[in-house]
Amino acid sequence: MELLRKLEILADAAKYDASCASSGTSKRNSLKGGLGSTEGSGICHAYAPDGRCISLLKLLLTNACVFDCAYCINRASSNTPRARFTVEEVVQLTLGFYRRNTIEGLFLSSGIIRSPDYTMEQVVRVARVLRLEHGFRGYIHLKTIPDAAPELLAEAGLYADRLSINMELPTVAGLESLAPEKDFRRIRHAMAGLRTRIEGAQDEAKTARRAKAQKFAPAGQSTQMIVGADGADDGAILGTATDLYAGYRMRRVYYSAYSPIPDASRLLPPVAPPLVREHRLYQADWLLRFYGFSQAEIMAGGQGGMLDLELDPKTAWALQSRQDFPVDLNSAPREALLRVPGLGAKTVDRLIAARRHTRLRAADLGRLRVSLAKVLPFVVLADHVPRGLDGAGLRQRLLPATAFAAAARPIQMSLF
Amino acid sequence: MPALAPRQGVAVTLPGPADFTAWRQAARGLVAADIRPEQAEWVVAGELPGLLAEAPAPPPSGAPFSVPRAFLDQAEIAIRHSDPERFALLYGLLWRLVHGERHLMQAATDPAVIRLGALAKAVRRDAHKMHAFVRFREVQAEDGPRHIAWFEPDHHIEEAEADFFLRRFAALRWSIVTPRRSVSWDGTALQFGPGGRRADVPPDGAPGDRYEPLWRAYYASIFNPARLKPGAMRAEMPRKYWRNLPEAAEIPRLMAEAPRRVAEMMERAAAAPNPRPQLARYLAPGQLSAPPHVVRDMPTPIDPPTDSTLALAALREELLSRPDLPDFAARATQPVFGEGPVGARLMFVGEQPGDEEDIAGRPFVGPAGRLLDRALAQAGVDRREAYLTNAVKHFKYTPTGKRRIHQSPDAGDITYYRPFLAREVAAVAPRLVVSLGASALTALTGKKLPVLKTRGQVVTALGGQPVFATIHPSYLLRLPDQQAQADGFAAFVADLRAASEQA
Ligand code: SF4
């Protein structure tokens, strides 16, 4: 098969993995040889019309797979055309694209062929050739197969910046019904193994002399859950996400709206992807990790285990917690400011810096480009006291009038 | 320095549009000469001269004075902005900083400070987009391949950003040409030159790059038509960049085809499974254990095996597959079994596995475990000869951000796991069981005995075995001061020694 055709099939097969991050790894450059650099923050080299960042060359080594995960285009029983790259082909594509400055590096995954060890060995070989034979210093993300041998995982961590194992479905029941060969416990077990190695390498780097420390996936591990394929509600998804963050030190949990695929399984007929729900989950995830919210607080803003689709989760929570408001922006502590709808962490820090020198007024907020319509109902300023905080009309006033909000209305779920 | 007439302006000519060093020197001279911001006019050499200024600027002089780091950091970047007012803005801020407003940079709502931040931000964004959207084309020169790119930045960032491309592509020979400037790397030195024309980079009609069709194919294939969000794309990749991005030529087609492709997927709905599915025949035996539903249906043994080792193995198997485990068990990584030789003289029973035990799948390997190790060593007990386990076999916790906080098992949890513990004690058949902490004591005896009053005594387990009661080592970790910890540790060691002597 022609290389171009293979690339089409194996990129198409890889696109349901949401992760394309290339940030948070060790800094490297090629001033003393090799090719490439990493700069700490990632770079999106292009955006596709789906609005997603293209940072890495995201490929499957092969889309042949003996597993039969119902949500996946590559499942054993799918009619999709199959293809397989050679190790050298992936290596040359990565280097060729990298030299033209179109990517930060490679995200390589694979369907499972022959055995987990065989498959993992092939994936690791690509990374090994890139690093050792070509001195590649760019970013490498490898998908890890939970059942692969420990030596292969150790070698993968040596070359990869990030490793990931996808949880795919947030509950045992979901996994059993839709991905019968996958096992919730084995996945968690493998994640625990990665945490041990990642932390081991970090400890070693702190104690041993730097050159000596054995590297292991300096950008940590991440995972993904599919949203809307099984019956799991947002509470279950966020519950599993918080467990994974806390238990296995995930750098990121990705949420991927179940999207129609060209050859859907009978178990899972195609539906419009719940993009708004996915967006709300990312917002909630952010509040959990950086804004001091608990999962219970976030879920209190929604109903029946689901987040509010019309309002962002912080505003939805604030409407249920009106007793905590208004917050005086001139005197309240940082934690309280972080909970004000419409105020991000950066804005909060700027407000705190500014209020040391001046009494904050509504115009100051305007200059910091915050949405006054969102913030003012919940805060007190030198020249502002909110009205209608207890009124029934507040929710209506807060519904954003943007196109996105229109798209957020649940009716839009029958999009097609 | 002769004083200037109050209305007279001075003209400062900078050698380049983003020459921060020159600006800094000139500004120092102006401050020393007491020239107010509205008197100074800034011109870049080669650009249109100013209209108002009459006098030349004073020579760069004056002793250096200190200004906040935050100002310098922002100014050095903001000066690359294409706004002709940038030099005046910077000088205005500098003037205020040295005339009584030392904390100006913290006044986040001051219009000039906001403006400075906005300029710096725009420059950073421009630089970031340059890192992202420069597209090299490989061309064959006589002496090998060269990588050349045409790029159109909004601001004067070419020189500042050359280093980025050097760090990344030191092994290649490359040039980036913009309308104002060109940068080249020949393997030994960076060279800057005048700008160029788009049509020359590479010259029109030059052979195409063989990777370009591949890259376009990748771009088209990675796009998911069911998630069309062109607004999000344009926000991050504005149209002005498209003409220099080969893949952008695909955008109109991808957008036009998306609705039809999705409609087809929806219409096709569920396809019949492939009559020739991918076969698992290559899967090596033993690579994958039996699927979960098979394991789950295995009957629990009615007559537990009599051999102790087999009994422990059966216990393990059962804990892995029981359908009625408490809810929190599903959130643990794995059950944590006991560890140690069957027939050990001493069997230690703790409360439940913690974070590190859950990850490692072994008992007593976390902070409390390390403390126990130290105490055992001092008491002269070899850990490897003892059997260690917990009353509850799964880690129960509440997640808070990046940590899992231990949650004490309640009476129901202890009751649930009690039969397992009883069978484990029976199988190991130690001479003496040592209960560490309240949960273990309750689990073993079925009674809620106060630990601090019972410690040092031997009580009887529900199964009849003798149980020596003492504290849990994590209790020592919670003691407030060092003296209390040292005393507590000594008492704990004494308990362990006493237990060892009685076993
Ligand atoms: S293992 Fe499942 S999710 Fe992964 S490629 Fe195979 S079918 Fe798809």
Side-chain angles (χ1 to χ4, degrees), chain A residues 50-242:
Chain A
D50 51 21
R52 295 219 240 187
C53 156
I54 300 176
S55 183
L56 302 174
L57 173 61
K58 207 163 15 170
L59 294 177
L60 258 60
L61 193 56
T62 175
N63 65 339
C65 188
V66 298
F67 280 19
D68 207 33
C69 308
Y71 47 81
C72 178
I73 179 69
N74 308 314
R75 68 189 184 284
S77 63
S78 155
N79 295 284
T80 199
R82 310 281 171 170
R84 178 175 174 181
F85 278 129
T86 63
V87 168
E88 196 51 26
E89 282 169 338
V90 180
V91 168
Q92 287 308 325
L93 281 172
T94 307
L95 296 173
F97 286 162
Y98 196 89
R99 286 195 197 103
R100 284 152 185 84
N101 200 41
T102 59
I103 52 169
E104 288 295 289
L106 174 69
F107 175 2
L108 189 63
S109 178
S110 181
I112 296 176
I113 45 170
R114 297 204 199 175
S115 73
D117 276 356
Y118 177 82
T119 312
M120 193 69 211
E121 203 279 326
Q122 294 282 305
V123 168
V124 170
R125 188 179 300 188
V126 172
R128 185 195 307 136
V129 172
L130 277 170
R131 291 281 193 239
L132 302 188
E133 289 178 26
H134 298 279
F136 183 63
R137 306 264 193 279
Y139 193 93
I140 297 182
H141 176 164
L142 298 181
K143 183 70 83 55
T144 315
I145 297 165
D147 305 285
E151 310 82 71
L152 285 169
L153 289 185
E155 201 186 353
L158 195 58
Y159 309 131
D161 291 288
R162 168 163 291 178
L163 295 173
S164 64
I165 301 168
N166 283 358
M167 185 52 103
E168 305 293 20
L169 297 168
T171 64
V172 181
L175 216 54
E176 272 174 20
S177 59
L178 296 180
E181 294 92 348
K182 291 196 177 179
D183 181 283
F184 199 69
R185 193 160 299 289
R186 275 209 306 267
I187 293 174
R188 299 185 73 132
H189 204 266
M191 289 172 170
L194 289 184
R195 172 185 147 184
T196 306
R197 287 169 192 275
I198 292 166
E199 289 189 330
Q202 285 168 351
D203 289 349
E204 207 177 312
K206 265 179 234 151
T207 49
R209 264 187 285 124
R210 260 162 100 218
K212 269 198 179 165
Q214 178 91 335
K215 271 208 234 127
F216 195 91
Q221 64 171 326
S222 65
T223 190
Q224 165 171 299
M225 282 186 276
I226 301 173
V227 178
D230 64 348
D233 62 19
D234 294 342
I237 293 174
L238 289 175
T240 298
T242 40

Side-chain angles (χ1 to χ4, degrees), chain A residues 45 104 195 243 248 416, chain B residues 135 168 262 331 333 355:
Chain A
H45 284 275
E104 288 295 289
R195 172 185 147 184
D243 282 359
Y248 311 117
F416 297 97
Chain B
R135 290 287 180 272
R168 181 157 285 203
V262 177
R331 296 173 56 198
T333 304
D355 176 72

Side-chain angles (χ1 to χ4, degrees), chain B residues 33 45 94 116 128 141 154 171 202-203 227 266 280 308 430 452:
Chain B
L94 179 70
L116 174 68
H128 191 73
D154 290 336
R227 301 179 57 109
M266 301 302 277
S308 306
L452 290 181

Side-chain angles (χ1 to χ4, degrees), chain B residues 38-59:
Chain B
E38 57 274 18
Q39 289 174 282
E41 187 162 75
W42 300 84
V43 190
V44 176
E47 291 178 9
L48 281 183
L51 302 170
L52 304 170
E54 290 137 34

Side-chain angles (χ1 to χ4, degrees), chain A residues 328-397:
Chain A
D328 188 337
L329 291 191
N330 280 299
S331 60
R334 184 166 189 274
E335 307 82 70
L337 299 194
L338 284 174
R339 289 179 166 242
V340 174
L343 292 187
K346 262 193 197 156
T347 309
V348 164
D349 290 338
R350 292 167 79 184
L351 288 174
I352 290 174
R355 77 187 185 186
R356 288 197 202 109
H357 306 277
T358 170
R359 297 268 304 151
L360 295 170
R361 311 172 82 80
D364 293 321
L365 280 188
R367 263 184 245 127
L368 291 179
R369 301 233 191 152
V370 303
S371 155
L372 293 179
K374 226 177 189 181
V375 178
L376 287 183
F378 296 99
V379 298
V380 171
L381 290 148
D383 59 348
H384 167 81
V385 178
R387 254 178 269 147
L389 186 51
D390 300 318
L394 183 54
R395 181 186 166 88
Q396 209 51 40
R397 274 199 283 144

Side-chain angles (χ1 to χ4, degrees), chain B residues 16 27-28 58 69 86 103 150 155 167 174 180 200 204 217 226 248 256 269 356 388 415 437 441 450-452:
Chain B
R28 199 184 290 150
R69 183 84 240 165
R86 63 192 179 282
H103 298 292
W150 169 256
H155 305 296
R167 286 194 295 277
W174 51 264
R180 290 183 292 234
D200 300 332
D204 279 342
E356 290 184 47
L388 287 87
T415 310
L441 195 54
V451 176
L452 290 181

